Amino acid sequence: MEQSPLSRTIKELEEDLGEQLFVRTSRSTRLTRAGKLFLEHVPRVFSALQQARDSVKAAANGFHGQLRIALSDGITPSRLPALLALCRQEEPEVDIRLFQVPLAQQIKGLQDDLYDVGFAQSDEVGDGIAAEAVWNDPLMVAVPARHHLLKHKRIPLDEVLQFPLVLCDPMACEGHARQVDRLLRHADREPLIAERVASFELMMVVVSAGFALGLAGAPHIAASQESGVVARPLAGRSPLLTTYLLRPEGEPSETLARFIERVQAIDLPEGARPAPPPEPDPQEDNPP
């Protein structure tokens, strides 16, 4: 767009809002406070516009409904395919849209009607959002192959904390990071965090390379393609990572209500169910 039409459009917008959005000098142009506040809403406007376009296309393709699902914290990989397959089997006329977003963006999107429902590993969601615990997975230690800690069938947390850890970055996996941090705060030893990564896939790469140990849910380790990673439960009562279903408070639509029923009934696919934690170790650990 040429400068003149752009400047004219901005001026018309400022007149319509009754506020100045930019401070202009001969050398620069910068946002005012009002301009910065206005900018925060712009991505949601474009997102809503894109969703409206998608809805029209879905209707043209024969769909009679839509379900917008937000995913945060790296939802359990073994359950999502089975859940989506069940939805497609039972209600093929409902168009399902997936959005992988940070937790804060999911909560804001649920409040602003950008999403119908979401999954995250946190129930700290504020007013207007209902959080229901739906799935639990044991928290496991991701250990490099041939590491001497593999002499334990279950690894004491104090032993784990003798080595550097690679954990999920709270910016990418906020709820998961909160649950892991709660566990580490109760430890006697201060953890050494070697690196925080944006995905469980990258966590497994770092572990496989032997740089650090990882802490993740059993299905995430099982889904890893890294052959140099071995999963071990923690000693004692195995900590559980909880996945929550988030949705706006109030009576759900019929489509959403049926989806929630499927979530509550969904089970792990054959062969993906993690083994239950073994009984406490005897005095001496046996080799695996």
Side-chain angles (χ1 to χ4, degrees):
M1 184 181 290
E2 295 179 4
Q3 182 65 27
S4 181
L6 176 61
S7 299
R8 188 164 57 248
T9 301
I10 292 174
K11 185 173 181 59
E12 290 173 354
L13 179 60
E14 289 177 325
E15 291 174 353
D16 183 56
L17 294 171
E19 291 289 342
Q20 187 176 356
L21 301 179
F22 293 90
V23 175
R24 304 169 181 83
T25 68
S26 58
R27 294 185 176 182
S28 66
T29 301
R30 60 183 176 82
L31 286 168
T32 63
R33 182 174 179 274
K36 292 177 181 178
L37 292 173
F38 186 79
L39 180 61
E40 291 179 5
H41 295 274
V42 171
R44 293 199 295 276
V45 172
F46 281 104
S47 179
L49 180 59
Q50 184 60 50
Q51 288 190 20
R53 289 172 175 162
D54 292 341
S55 295
V56 171
K57 292 179 180 178
N61 290 329
F63 291 104
H64 301 302
Q66 190 177 70
L67 198 60
R68 302 161 299 172
I69 306 172
L71 308 173
S72 304
D73 298 325
I75 183 175
T76 302
S78 55
R79 289 189 175 94
L80 185 58
L83 174 60
L84 296 180
L86 186 59
C87 291
R88 185 174 181 82
Q89 175 186 340
E90 296 187 352
E91 283 192 289
E93 71 279 6
V94 174
D95 181 35
I96 292 182
R97 299 279 170 170
L98 303 178
F99 304 85
Q100 191 166 8
V101 295
L103 176 59
Q105 186 175 332
Q106 177 180 157
I107 293 171
K108 186 63 176 172
L110 289 168
Q111 293 169 337
D112 292 345
D113 193 32
L114 292 179
Y115 314 125
D116 301 301
V117 66
F119 293 96
Q121 290 190 331
S122 176
D123 59 351
E124 300 174 30
V125 293
D127 297 332
I129 303 297
E132 177 187 354
V134 288
W135 301 323
N136 287 307
D137 295 295
L139 179 67
M140 306 285 278
V141 187
V143 185
R146 296 180 297 278
H147 195 286
H148 80 269
L149 279 183
L150 293 177
K151 68 183 181 181
H152 297 281
K153 286 185 176 179
R154 297 184 307 118
I155 307 176
L157 182 58
D158 285 346
E159 294 267 356
V160 172
L161 297 183
Q162 292 182 21
F163 299 90
L165 297 178
V166 54
L167 303 177
C168 246
D169 191 329
M171 294 296 291
C173 307
E174 183 177 346
H176 177 272
R178 286 179 190 171
Q179 294 196 46
V180 171
D181 285 345
R182 278 198 292 268
L183 170 70
L184 297 179
R185 280 200 301 269
H186 291 91
D188 296 330
R189 181 190 293 265
E190 185 73 19
L192 172 61
I193 312 300
E195 194 169 356
R196 291 188 181 270
V197 294
S199 69
F200 293 103
E201 291 81 4
L202 186 53
M203 179 191 292
M204 297 308 129
V205 169
V206 174
V207 172
S208 180
F211 292 160
L213 307 179
L215 291 173
H220 285 109
I221 302 178
S224 171
Q225 300 299 311
E226 296 296 328
S227 59
V229 177
V230 179
R232 282 286 189 272
L234 286 164
R237 184 181 296 274
S238 182
L240 296 176
L241 291 172
T242 302
T243 297
Y244 297 88
L245 181 144
L246 311 184
R247 65 175 181 87
E249 289 182 341
E251 192 69 23
S253 67
E254 292 183 5
T255 300
L256 179 54
R258 288 192 294 270
F259 176 78
I260 294 172
E261 289 177 1
R262 293 187 197 104
V263 171
Q264 294 168 336
I266 198 70
D267 204 354
L268 290 172
E270 188 68 25
R273 185 188 302 275
E279 294 298 320
D281 287 337
Q283 292 296 319
E284 295 182 4
D285 290 307
N286 297 319

